[in-house]
Amino acid sequence: MSTNSTRYESAVARYFEAWNAGDQDALTKAVAAAWAEDGSYTDPLADVRGHEQITAVIAAAHEQFPGFAFRLTGTVDGHHDIARFAWELVNEADGSAPVAGSDVITLDGEDRIRSVQGFLDRVPTGAA
């Protein structure tokens, strides 16, 4: 891991704050704090750009999985302006994690996310 690991860990922490925001206002603010204005998010189910579209993707995930939270699994690894990490979507009631994946993010000069390339490693049947 890079000696500049705090930079990557902070960016990933803001990323999870957005994914776990409790209401629309908190979500809007968290996305603005985590992503650059023209930042993007791409995974097998979405390819969006800008705060409004990213916020909509996250809100849709919350609608599909109410009572779940995104959690980091393992450590954040980074170099230059790129970081990678794994995550899972955890049911807060029983601790099960039916969805898991890994993401690669690229940061801008202000350590905000320019892009996310997401991969789904575990998805329940019918969820994708």
Side-chain angles (χ1 to χ4, degrees):
M1 179 180 279
S2 165
T3 57
N4 198 9
S5 62
T6 302
R7 174 184 186 214
Y8 310 115
E9 291 166 355
S10 294
V12 171
R14 288 190 307 276
Y15 176 81
F16 281 106
E17 285 174 19
W19 279 97
N20 290 320
D23 60 51
Q24 188 64 36
D25 186 50
L27 174 56
T28 299
K29 289 177 183 175
V31 167
W35 269 270
E37 288 270 339
D38 64 343
S40 65
Y41 177 86
T42 303
D43 72 12
L45 306 174
D47 186 9
V48 298
R49 178 171 298 279
H51 291 174
E52 187 175 311
Q53 291 182 359
I54 293 166
T55 298
V57 165
I58 294 172
H62 283 269
E63 288 176 19
Q64 185 174 4
F65 294 98
F68 284 74
F70 287 87
R71 302 282 187 249
L72 179 68
T73 60
T75 59
V76 177
D77 186 24
H79 62 82
H80 297 85
D81 292 332
I82 303 167
R84 67 179 177 169
F85 56 93
W87 54 266
E88 60 186 4
L89 184 59
V90 179
N91 182 321
E92 294 181 305
D94 67 14
S96 64
V99 181
S102 55
D103 292 350
V104 176
I105 63 173
T106 303
L107 303 177
D108 68 10
E110 297 176 357
D111 294 343
R112 290 171 59 199
I113 299 169
R114 281 193 322 216
S115 67
V116 175
Q117 303 301 317
F119 297 85
L120 298 173
D121 301 324
R122 182 175 61 239
V123 179
T125 304

